[in-house]
Amino acid sequence: MKSWSLRSRLFLLIILPLVLIAAIAGLARFVLAERMSERLYDKTLLVTALTISRDVILSEGDVLAEQLLDRLTNSLGDPVYYRIVGPGGRFVTGYSDAPERPKNRDTQPGVPLFYDSQVLGQKVRAVSLEEFISEPQFGGWVTVEVWQTVRERENLSRLLFLQSISIMGVVISAAAMLVWFGIRLGLKPLTDLQEAVQLRSPDDLHPIRRRLPIEIRDLVGAMNALFSRLERAFAQRDAFIADAAHQLRNPVAAIQAQAESLTTAVSEEDVRRRIGGLVETARLTGRLTQQLLTLEKARTGLTPDRRTELDLPRIAREVMAKAAELRPSQPVDVTFETGGVPAPVFGDAVLVEEAVTNLVDNAFIYGCKDGGAVSVSIDFVPGKAVLTVEDTGPGIPPALRKRVFDRFFRGGEQAEEGSGLGLPIARSIAEAHGGSVEILESQGGTRVALCLPTIQ
Amino acid sequence: MRILLVEDNEGLARGLANSLRDHGYAVDVLDDGEAADTFLSTQGADLAVIDVNLPGLNGFELLRRMRQRGDTTAALMLTARGETRDKVLGLDAGADDYMVKPFEIVELLARIRVLSRRRNDLKPVKEQIGALTYDRSARLLTGPQGPIDLKRRERALFESLLTNAGRVVQKEDLLEQIYGTGADIETNAVELSVSRLRRALAGGGVAIRTLRGIGYMMSKD
């Protein structure tokens, strides 16, 4: 669809109805004026008829004096003709070519009849009048017919019409000009705004603070909200990239140092030991990059087509089995239980598994370093599933319970292995699914709850 | 045992091949699907470790062709992390197991052992775990103090745990393997069998670990 400029829209919306209204008004004015002029002309014609009839009767049937006719013609503009028929047709005087009367209209005594007709190919306006004369000699009903060509009338009509059109044209053109330039003036705040936005540098995301007309305040308000969201998102992304680069630099430097130290190892046993350290560092680096990717994926949102109905207990059992398999020599007492009526969780299987893995791995790595117990329970309550992971380790001091969700935060020297991303990832994933991750109060070890909405 | 490794990431392929050779496997390494297809249909292997993303013929297609011509070689698929659809596709195409990169070589070795045990023709007749030796054909278990007599159910349980040694076997799967599909048996029955088996294996250098609410895992003590 073609997008019209605001100016053209406003212009058309105002001018088109205006033209229509002006046309109707002009037409009405023309019709009324013509009707009035016709009435005035007819009255004049009637007066002329009466004058002529008196004159003819008083002169006892003589033709009208040329002088009088000339005078009438001069004053009226169009030539005047007449015919008078005496009582009982006793005499006829005047012109013989009288206009034909409309057939279905009869004259009534004393009432003038006006009609349009033609005489010798010329349009005429005529009046016919029957008068009773109480003269002893000519007494009786006399018919007076007077007619006049209509050139003058038509000229007047044309004049009225032209006047009407020119007034209309002047009014409309004046209105059009006013509207066109008025709109430009009225839209100036918009064009100013546009210029101001165009002049901004690409990384200037500060809100627009100029004074604005009330109509565009909401629009600019929405734009400002978008700007601030973008600014926050950019800031987060920049911080993340800086963090990630910094966090990756350390293990990569460690790998390089360990690899270089291999070349100077003095014994084969020494080489084997150093390689062991190198392998462990490389493994952790791999895990770190994978976690960074997961975090970014959870943070930037879920793609809907990857969501399916998930069996959370099954995921938890598999994650726990894998955690136990990976640490066969770690004497950890593992317990899993579910409560409530199981309902599926709607989500991304990989991400949900990752969140559960992070919580369970934390329990194994930090909570049961030298043995202990890890128990996972899932409670299904209407609308959500609460997965709680509990260990018998040292627990998280209350002062650190908020900070453990900060990216790259590591709780003390015991957490050498960790990347500081496990809990932030779990929380991002939970939040992307409309859920949450919280550290719960506990007697000894750590208790973490992952809450996810379920489908009823 | 001969393993064909189809992986186009050169560094990863070299590392995996070295580790596998160190653990006594004969390894052939190929880096594209078409070549692997030709290799499998002419020479064959006991087990194929196949990367999903391969130049030429991708891993799924390679697997599908193998299965279509009736090749039942055990196949373990490798893929970049996180594609659950890949997992389903791979298992549908006839994969026996599935691993997501990055993985630890220890885990790959464990899975290869499980796959080779699971397949009858690849099973060593005599298997050792801890101080125990199990003869699968004679179904005879021998400990340091001589033969150990197992009842029918305990033996089925032991076989199942041995096949998956080092991995957790879920309780429901055990029930199915001991009592058959759809058996209406209390899960307590499994616990009873496990405790009997533990008593029978005492002193054999083998531990059966309980993961309450999940299953059991047998490993060297």
Coordinates of all heavy atoms in Angstrom, one line a residue, chain A residues 283 286-287 290 293-294 297 305-306 314 316-318 320-322 324-337 348-351 353-354 364, chain B residues 81-85 87 99-107 110-111 164-172 209-217 219-220:
Chain A
R283 N 39.9 -29.0 29.6 CA 38.5 -29.5 29.8 C 37.7 -28.3 30.4 O 36.5 -28.1 29.9 CB 38.5 -30.7 30.7 CG 37.2 -31.4 30.8 CD 37.3 -32.6 31.8 NE 37.4 -32.1 33.2 CZ 36.5 -31.7 33.9 NH1 35.2 -31.6 33.5 NH2 36.7 -31.3 35.2
G286 N 36.9 -25.7 27.8 CA 35.8 -26.1 26.9 C 34.5 -25.9 27.6 O 33.5 -25.4 27.0
R287 N 34.4 -26.3 28.9 CA 33.2 -26.2 29.6 C 32.8 -24.7 29.7 O 31.6 -24.3 29.6 CB 33.4 -26.8 31.0 CG 32.3 -26.6 32.0 CD 31.2 -27.6 31.9 NE 30.1 -27.4 32.9 CZ 28.9 -27.4 32.5 NH1 28.5 -27.7 31.3 NH2 27.9 -27.2 33.4
Q290 N 31.4 -23.4 26.5 CA 30.0 -23.9 26.3 C 29.0 -23.2 27.2 O 27.9 -22.8 26.8 CB 30.1 -25.4 26.6 CG 28.7 -26.1 26.5 CD 28.8 -27.4 27.2 OE1 29.8 -28.1 27.1 NE2 27.7 -27.8 27.9
L293 N 28.2 -19.8 25.9 CA 27.2 -19.9 24.8 C 25.8 -20.1 25.3 O 24.9 -19.5 24.9 CB 27.6 -21.0 23.8 CG 28.7 -20.7 22.8 CD1 29.1 -22.0 22.1 CD2 28.2 -19.6 21.9
T294 N 25.7 -21.0 26.3 CA 24.4 -21.3 26.9 C 23.8 -20.1 27.5 O 22.6 -19.8 27.3 CB 24.5 -22.4 27.9 OG1 25.3 -23.5 27.4 CG2 23.2 -22.9 28.4
K297 N 22.5 -17.8 25.0 CA 21.3 -18.3 24.3 C 20.1 -18.1 25.3 O 19.1 -17.7 24.8 CB 21.5 -19.8 24.1 CG 20.6 -20.3 23.0 CD 21.2 -21.5 22.3 CE 20.8 -22.8 23.0 NZ 21.4 -24.0 22.4
D305 N 10.0 -22.7 18.4 CA 9.9 -24.0 17.8 C 10.8 -25.1 18.5 O 10.7 -26.2 18.2 CB 10.3 -23.9 16.3 CG 11.7 -23.6 16.1 OD1 12.3 -22.8 16.9 OD2 12.4 -24.1 15.2
R306 N 11.6 -24.6 19.4 CA 12.4 -25.6 20.1 C 11.8 -26.1 21.4 O 12.3 -26.9 22.1 CB 13.8 -25.0 20.5 CG 14.6 -24.7 19.2 CD 15.9 -24.1 19.7 NE 16.6 -25.0 20.6 CZ 17.6 -25.8 20.3 NH1 18.0 -25.8 19.1 NH2 18.2 -26.6 21.2
R314 N 12.1 -37.2 34.5 CA 13.0 -38.0 33.7 C 14.3 -37.3 33.5 O 15.4 -37.9 33.6 CB 12.4 -38.3 32.4 CG 12.7 -39.7 31.8 CD 12.4 -39.8 30.4 NE 13.1 -38.7 29.7 CZ 13.3 -38.7 28.4 NH1 12.8 -39.7 27.7 NH2 14.0 -37.7 27.8
A316 N 15.6 -35.0 35.4 CA 16.4 -35.0 36.7 C 17.1 -36.3 36.9 O 18.2 -36.3 37.3 CB 15.4 -34.6 37.8
R317 N 16.4 -37.4 36.7 CA 17.0 -38.7 36.9 C 18.2 -38.9 36.0 O 19.2 -39.4 36.4 CB 15.9 -39.9 36.6 CG 15.0 -40.1 37.8 CD 14.3 -41.5 37.7 NE 13.6 -41.6 36.4 CZ 12.3 -41.3 36.3 NH1 11.6 -40.9 37.3 NH2 11.7 -41.5 35.2
E318 N 18.1 -38.5 34.7 CA 19.2 -38.7 33.8 C 20.4 -37.9 34.2 O 21.5 -38.3 34.2 CB 18.8 -38.4 32.4 CG 18.0 -39.5 31.7 CD 17.4 -39.1 30.4 OE1 17.6 -38.0 29.9 OE2 16.7 -40.0 29.8
M320 N 21.1 -36.8 37.2 CA 21.7 -37.3 38.4 C 22.5 -38.6 38.1 O 23.6 -38.8 38.7 CB 20.6 -37.6 39.5 CG 20.0 -36.3 40.0 SD 18.7 -36.6 41.2 CE 19.7 -36.9 42.6
A321 N 22.0 -39.4 37.3 CA 22.7 -40.6 36.9 C 24.0 -40.3 36.3 O 25.1 -40.8 36.6 CB 21.8 -41.5 35.9
K322 N 24.0 -39.3 35.4 CA 25.2 -38.9 34.7 C 26.2 -38.3 35.7 O 27.4 -38.6 35.6 CB 24.9 -37.9 33.6 CG 26.1 -37.6 32.7 CD 25.7 -36.9 31.4 CE 26.9 -36.6 30.6 NZ 26.6 -35.8 29.4
A324 N 26.5 -39.0 38.8 CA 27.1 -40.1 39.6 C 28.1 -40.9 38.8 O 29.1 -41.3 39.3 CB 26.0 -41.0 40.1
E325 N 27.7 -41.1 37.5 CA 28.6 -41.9 36.6 C 30.0 -41.2 36.4 O 31.0 -41.9 36.4 CB 28.0 -42.1 35.3 CG 26.8 -43.2 35.3 CD 26.0 -43.0 34.0 OE1 26.3 -42.3 33.1 OE2 24.9 -43.7 34.0
L326 N 29.9 -39.9 36.3 CA 31.2 -39.1 36.1 C 32.1 -39.2 37.3 O 33.3 -38.9 37.2 CB 30.9 -37.7 35.7 CG 30.5 -37.4 34.3 CD1 30.1 -36.0 34.1 CD2 31.7 -37.8 33.4
R327 N 31.5 -39.4 38.5 CA 32.4 -39.4 39.7 C 32.2 -40.7 40.5 O 31.6 -40.7 41.6 CB 31.9 -38.2 40.6 CG 32.0 -36.9 39.9 CD 31.3 -35.8 40.6 NE 31.3 -34.5 39.9 CZ 30.4 -34.2 39.0 NH1 29.4 -35.0 38.7 NH2 30.5 -33.1 38.3
P328 N 32.7 -41.8 39.8 CA 32.4 -43.1 40.4 C 33.0 -43.3 41.8 O 32.5 -44.1 42.6 CB 33.0 -44.1 39.4 CG 33.9 -43.3 38.6 CD 33.4 -41.9 38.6
S329 N 34.1 -42.6 42.1 CA 34.8 -42.8 43.3 C 34.4 -41.9 44.4 O 34.8 -42.0 45.6 CB 36.3 -42.7 43.1 OG 36.6 -41.5 42.5
Q330 N 33.5 -40.9 44.1 CA 33.0 -40.0 45.1 C 31.9 -40.6 45.9 O 30.8 -40.9 45.3 CB 32.6 -38.7 44.4 CG 32.5 -37.5 45.3 CD 32.2 -36.2 44.4 OE1 32.5 -36.2 43.3 NE2 31.5 -35.3 45.0
P331 N 32.0 -40.8 47.2 CA 31.0 -41.5 48.0 C 29.8 -40.6 48.3 O 29.7 -40.0 49.4 CB 31.7 -41.9 49.2 CG 32.8 -41.0 49.4 CD 33.2 -40.4 48.0
V332 N 29.0 -40.4 47.3 CA 27.8 -39.5 47.5 C 26.5 -40.3 47.6 O 26.3 -41.2 46.8 CB 27.7 -38.5 46.4 CG1 26.5 -37.6 46.6 CG2 29.0 -37.6 46.3
D333 N 25.7 -40.0 48.6 CA 24.5 -40.7 48.8 C 23.4 -39.9 48.0 O 23.2 -38.8 48.2 CB 24.1 -40.6 50.3 CG 23.1 -41.7 50.6 OD1 22.7 -42.5 49.8 OD2 22.6 -41.7 51.8
V334 N 22.9 -40.6 46.9 CA 22.0 -39.9 46.0 C 20.5 -40.3 46.2 O 20.2 -41.5 46.3 CB 22.4 -40.2 44.5 CG1 21.4 -39.5 43.6 CG2 23.8 -39.8 44.3
T335 N 19.7 -39.3 46.4 CA 18.2 -39.6 46.5 C 17.4 -38.7 45.6 O 17.7 -37.5 45.4 CB 17.8 -39.2 48.0 OG1 18.7 -39.9 48.9 CG2 16.4 -39.7 48.2
F336 N 16.4 -39.3 45.0 CA 15.5 -38.6 44.2 C 14.1 -38.9 44.5 O 13.7 -40.1 44.7 CB 15.8 -38.9 42.7 CG 14.8 -38.2 41.8 CD1 14.9 -36.8 41.5 CD2 13.8 -38.9 41.1 CE1 14.0 -36.2 40.7 CE2 12.9 -38.3 40.3 CZ 13.0 -37.0 40.1
E337 N 13.2 -37.9 44.6 CA 11.8 -38.2 44.9 C 10.9 -37.2 44.2 O 11.4 -36.0 44.0 CB 11.5 -38.3 46.4 CG 11.9 -37.1 47.1 CD 11.8 -37.3 48.6 OE1 11.8 -38.4 49.1 OE2 11.7 -36.3 49.4
D348 N 12.5 -25.7 26.4 CA 13.6 -26.2 25.5 C 14.4 -27.3 26.3 O 15.0 -27.0 27.4 CB 14.6 -25.0 25.3 CG 15.7 -25.3 24.3 OD1 16.3 -26.4 24.5 OD2 16.0 -24.5 23.5
A349 N 14.3 -28.5 25.8 CA 14.9 -29.6 26.5 C 16.3 -29.4 26.9 O 16.8 -29.7 28.0 CB 14.7 -30.9 25.7
V350 N 17.1 -28.9 25.9 CA 18.6 -28.8 26.2 C 18.8 -27.8 27.3 O 19.6 -28.0 28.2 CB 19.3 -28.3 24.9 CG1 20.7 -28.1 25.1 CG2 19.1 -29.4 23.8
L351 N 18.1 -26.6 27.2 CA 18.3 -25.6 28.2 C 17.9 -26.0 29.6 O 18.6 -25.8 30.6 CB 17.6 -24.3 27.8 CG 18.3 -23.6 26.6 CD1 17.5 -22.3 26.3 CD2 19.7 -23.3 26.8
E353 N 17.7 -29.1 30.7 CA 18.6 -30.1 31.2 C 19.9 -29.4 31.7 O 20.4 -29.8 32.7 CB 19.0 -31.0 30.1 CG 19.8 -32.2 30.5 CD 20.2 -33.1 29.4 OE1 19.3 -33.5 28.6 OE2 21.4 -33.5 29.3
E354 N 20.3 -28.3 31.0 CA 21.5 -27.6 31.4 C 21.3 -26.9 32.8 O 22.2 -27.0 33.6 CB 21.8 -26.5 30.3 CG 23.0 -25.6 30.7 CD 24.3 -26.2 30.2 OE1 24.3 -27.1 29.4 OE2 25.3 -25.7 30.8
F364 N 27.3 -31.7 43.7 CA 28.3 -32.7 43.7 C 29.7 -32.1 43.9 O 30.5 -32.6 44.7 CB 28.3 -33.5 42.4 CG 27.4 -34.7 42.4 CD1 26.1 -34.6 42.1 CD2 27.9 -36.0 42.7 CE1 25.3 -35.7 42.1 CE2 27.1 -37.1 42.7 CZ 25.8 -37.0 42.4
Chain B
R81 N 26.8 -29.7 20.6 CA 25.9 -29.8 21.6 C 24.5 -29.2 21.3 O 24.3 -28.3 20.5 CB 26.4 -29.1 22.9 CG 26.4 -27.5 22.8 CD 26.8 -27.0 24.1 NE 25.9 -27.5 25.1 CZ 24.8 -26.9 25.4 NH1 24.4 -25.9 24.7 NH2 24.0 -27.4 26.4
G82 N 23.5 -29.8 22.0 CA 22.3 -29.1 22.2 C 21.2 -29.3 21.2 O 20.2 -28.7 21.3
E83 N 21.4 -30.1 20.2 CA 20.3 -30.2 19.2 C 19.5 -31.5 19.5 O 19.8 -32.6 19.1 CB 20.9 -30.3 17.8 CG 21.6 -29.1 17.3 CD 20.6 -27.9 17.2 OE1 19.4 -28.2 16.9 OE2 21.0 -26.8 17.4
T84 N 18.4 -31.3 20.3 CA 17.6 -32.4 20.7 C 17.0 -33.1 19.4 O 16.8 -34.3 19.4 CB 16.5 -32.1 21.6 OG1 16.1 -30.8 21.3 CG2 16.9 -32.2 23.1
R85 N 16.7 -32.3 18.4 CA 16.1 -32.8 17.2 C 17.1 -33.8 16.6 O 16.7 -34.8 16.1 CB 15.7 -31.7 16.3 CG 14.4 -31.2 16.5 CD 14.1 -30.0 15.7 NE 15.2 -29.0 15.9 CZ 15.2 -27.7 15.5 NH1 14.2 -27.3 14.8 NH2 16.1 -26.9 15.8
K87 N 19.2 -35.6 18.2 CA 19.2 -36.8 19.0 C 18.1 -37.7 18.5 O 18.3 -38.9 18.2 CB 18.9 -36.4 20.5 CG 19.2 -37.5 21.4 CD 19.3 -36.9 22.8 CE 19.5 -38.0 23.9 NZ 19.8 -37.4 25.2
M99 N 26.3 -39.1 21.5 CA 27.1 -38.2 22.5 C 27.2 -36.8 21.9 O 27.3 -36.6 20.7 CB 28.5 -38.8 22.6 CG 28.5 -40.0 23.6 SD 30.2 -40.4 24.1 CE 30.5 -39.2 25.3
V100 N 27.1 -35.9 22.9 CA 27.1 -34.5 22.6 C 28.5 -33.9 22.8 O 29.0 -34.1 23.9 CB 26.0 -33.7 23.4 CG1 26.1 -32.3 23.2 CG2 24.7 -34.3 23.0
K101 N 29.1 -33.2 21.9 CA 30.4 -32.5 22.1 C 30.2 -31.2 22.9 O 29.1 -30.6 22.7 CB 30.9 -32.1 20.7 CG 31.4 -33.2 19.8 CD 31.9 -32.6 18.6 CE 32.0 -33.5 17.4 NZ 32.3 -32.9 16.2
P102 N 31.0 -30.8 23.8 CA 32.3 -31.5 24.1 C 32.0 -32.6 25.1 O 31.2 -32.5 26.0 CB 33.1 -30.4 24.7 CG 32.2 -29.5 25.3 CD 30.9 -29.6 24.5
F103 N 32.7 -33.7 24.9 CA 32.5 -34.8 25.9 C 33.9 -35.2 26.4 O 34.9 -34.8 25.9 CB 31.8 -36.0 25.2 CG 32.5 -36.4 23.9 CD1 33.6 -37.2 24.0 CD2 32.0 -36.0 22.7 CE1 34.3 -37.6 22.8 CE2 32.6 -36.4 21.5 CZ 33.8 -37.1 21.6
E104 N 33.8 -36.1 27.5 CA 35.1 -36.5 28.0 C 35.4 -37.9 27.4 O 34.5 -38.7 27.3 CB 35.0 -36.5 29.5 CG 34.4 -35.2 30.0 CD 34.8 -34.8 31.4 OE1 35.5 -35.6 32.0 OE2 34.5 -33.7 31.8
I105 N 36.7 -38.1 27.1 CA 37.1 -39.3 26.5 C 36.7 -40.5 27.4 O 36.3 -41.5 26.9 CB 38.6 -39.3 26.1 CG1 38.8 -38.3 25.0 CG2 39.1 -40.6 25.7 CD1 40.1 -38.2 24.4
V106 N 36.8 -40.3 28.7 CA 36.5 -41.4 29.6 C 35.1 -41.8 29.4 O 34.8 -43.0 29.4 CB 36.6 -40.9 31.1 CG1 36.4 -42.0 32.0 CG2 37.9 -40.2 31.3
E107 N 34.2 -40.9 29.1 CA 32.8 -41.2 28.9 C 32.6 -42.0 27.6 O 31.8 -42.9 27.5 CB 31.9 -40.0 29.0 CG 30.5 -40.3 29.2 CD 29.5 -39.1 29.2 OE1 30.0 -38.0 29.2 OE2 28.3 -39.4 29.0
A110 N 33.6 -45.5 28.1 CA 32.6 -46.2 28.8 C 31.5 -46.6 27.9 O 31.0 -47.7 27.9 CB 32.1 -45.3 30.0
R111 N 31.1 -45.7 27.1 CA 29.9 -46.0 26.2 C 30.3 -47.1 25.1 O 29.5 -47.9 24.8 CB 29.4 -44.8 25.5 CG 28.9 -43.8 26.5 CD 27.9 -42.9 25.9 NE 27.5 -41.9 26.9 CZ 26.3 -41.2 26.7 NH1 25.5 -41.4 25.7 NH2 26.0 -40.3 27.6
N164 N 26.0 -52.8 31.8 CA 26.1 -51.4 32.0 C 27.0 -50.9 33.1 O 26.8 -49.9 33.7 CB 24.7 -50.8 32.2 CG 23.8 -51.1 31.0 OD1 23.9 -50.4 30.0 ND2 22.9 -52.0 31.2
A165 N 28.0 -51.7 33.3 CA 28.9 -51.4 34.4 C 29.5 -50.0 34.3 O 29.8 -49.5 33.2 CB 30.1 -52.4 34.5
G166 N 29.4 -49.2 35.4 CA 29.9 -47.8 35.4 C 28.8 -46.9 35.0 O 29.0 -45.7 35.0
R167 N 27.6 -47.4 34.6 CA 26.5 -46.5 34.3 C 25.3 -46.9 35.1 O 25.2 -48.0 35.6 CB 26.1 -46.7 32.8 CG 27.3 -46.4 31.9 CD 26.8 -46.3 30.5 NE 26.0 -45.0 30.3 CZ 25.3 -44.8 29.2 NH1 25.3 -45.6 28.2 NH2 24.7 -43.7 29.1
V168 N 24.5 -45.9 35.3 CA 23.3 -46.1 36.2 C 22.2 -46.8 35.3 O 21.9 -46.4 34.2 CB 22.8 -44.7 36.7 CG1 21.5 -44.9 37.5 CG2 23.8 -44.1 37.6
V169 N 21.7 -47.9 35.9 CA 20.6 -48.5 35.2 C 19.3 -48.2 36.0 O 19.3 -48.3 37.2 CB 20.8 -50.1 35.2 CG1 19.7 -50.7 34.4 CG2 22.1 -50.5 34.7
Q170 N 18.3 -47.6 35.3 CA 17.2 -47.1 36.0 C 16.3 -48.3 36.5 O 16.3 -49.4 35.8 CB 16.3 -46.2 35.1 CG 17.2 -45.0 34.6 CD 16.5 -43.7 34.7 OE1 15.3 -43.6 35.0 NE2 17.2 -42.6 34.5
K171 N 15.7 -48.1 37.6 CA 14.9 -49.2 38.3 C 13.9 -49.8 37.4 O 13.7 -51.0 37.3 CB 14.2 -48.5 39.5 CG 14.2 -49.4 40.7 CD 13.8 -48.5 41.9 CE 13.7 -49.3 43.1 NZ 13.3 -48.4 44.3
E172 N 13.2 -48.9 36.6 CA 12.1 -49.5 35.7 C 12.7 -50.4 34.7 O 12.1 -51.4 34.3 CB 11.4 -48.3 35.0 CG 10.4 -47.5 35.9 CD 11.2 -46.6 36.9 OE1 12.3 -46.3 36.7 OE2 10.6 -46.3 38.0
R209 N 25.9 -49.5 43.7 CA 25.5 -48.3 44.4 C 24.1 -48.0 44.2 O 23.6 -48.2 43.1 CB 26.4 -47.1 43.8 CG 26.4 -45.9 44.7 CD 27.6 -45.1 44.2 NE 27.2 -43.7 44.4 CZ 27.8 -42.7 43.7 NH1 28.7 -43.0 42.8 NH2 27.4 -41.5 43.9
T210 N 23.4 -47.5 45.2 CA 21.9 -47.2 45.1 C 21.8 -45.7 44.9 O 22.4 -44.9 45.6 CB 21.2 -47.6 46.3 OG1 21.4 -49.0 46.6 CG2 19.7 -47.4 46.1
L211 N 21.1 -45.3 43.8 CA 20.7 -43.9 43.7 C 19.2 -43.9 44.0 O 18.4 -44.3 43.1 CB 21.0 -43.4 42.3 CG 22.5 -43.2 42.0 CD1 23.1 -44.4 41.5 CD2 22.7 -42.0 41.1
R212 N 18.8 -43.6 45.2 CA 17.4 -43.7 45.6 C 16.5 -42.9 44.7 O 16.7 -41.8 44.5 CB 17.2 -43.3 47.1 CG 17.5 -44.5 48.0 CD 17.0 -44.1 49.4 NE 17.7 -42.9 50.0 CZ 18.9 -43.0 50.5 NH1 19.6 -44.1 50.5 NH2 19.5 -41.9 51.0
G213 N 15.5 -43.6 44.2 CA 14.5 -43.0 43.3 C 14.9 -43.0 41.9 O 14.2 -42.5 41.0
I214 N 16.2 -43.5 41.6 CA 16.6 -43.5 40.2 C 17.0 -44.9 39.8 O 16.4 -45.4 38.8 CB 17.9 -42.6 40.1 CG1 17.5 -41.1 40.6 CG2 18.4 -42.5 38.7 CD1 18.7 -40.2 40.7
G215 N 18.0 -45.5 40.4 CA 18.4 -46.8 39.9 C 19.7 -47.3 40.6 O 20.0 -46.8 41.7
Y216 N 20.4 -48.2 39.9 CA 21.6 -48.8 40.5 C 22.7 -48.7 39.6 O 22.5 -48.6 38.3 CB 21.3 -50.2 40.9 CG 20.2 -50.4 41.9 CD1 18.9 -50.5 41.4 CD2 20.4 -50.3 43.2 CE1 17.8 -50.7 42.3 CE2 19.4 -50.5 44.1 CZ 18.1 -50.6 43.6 OH 17.0 -50.7 44.5
M217 N 24.0 -48.7 40.1 CA 25.1 -48.6 39.3 C 26.2 -49.6 39.9 O 26.5 -49.5 41.1 CB 25.7 -47.2 39.3 CG 27.0 -47.1 38.5 SD 27.4 -45.3 38.1 CE 28.2 -44.9 39.7
S219 N 30.0 -50.9 39.9 CA 31.4 -50.6 39.5 C 32.4 -51.3 40.4 O 32.0 -51.8 41.4 CB 31.6 -49.1 39.5 OG 31.2 -48.6 40.8
K220 N 33.6 -51.2 39.9 CA 34.7 -51.8 40.8 C 34.7 -51.0 42.1 O 34.5 -49.8 42.1 CB 36.0 -51.6 40.0 CG 36.3 -52.7 39.1 CD 37.8 -52.5 38.6 CE 37.9 -51.4 37.6 NZ 39.2 -51.3 37.0

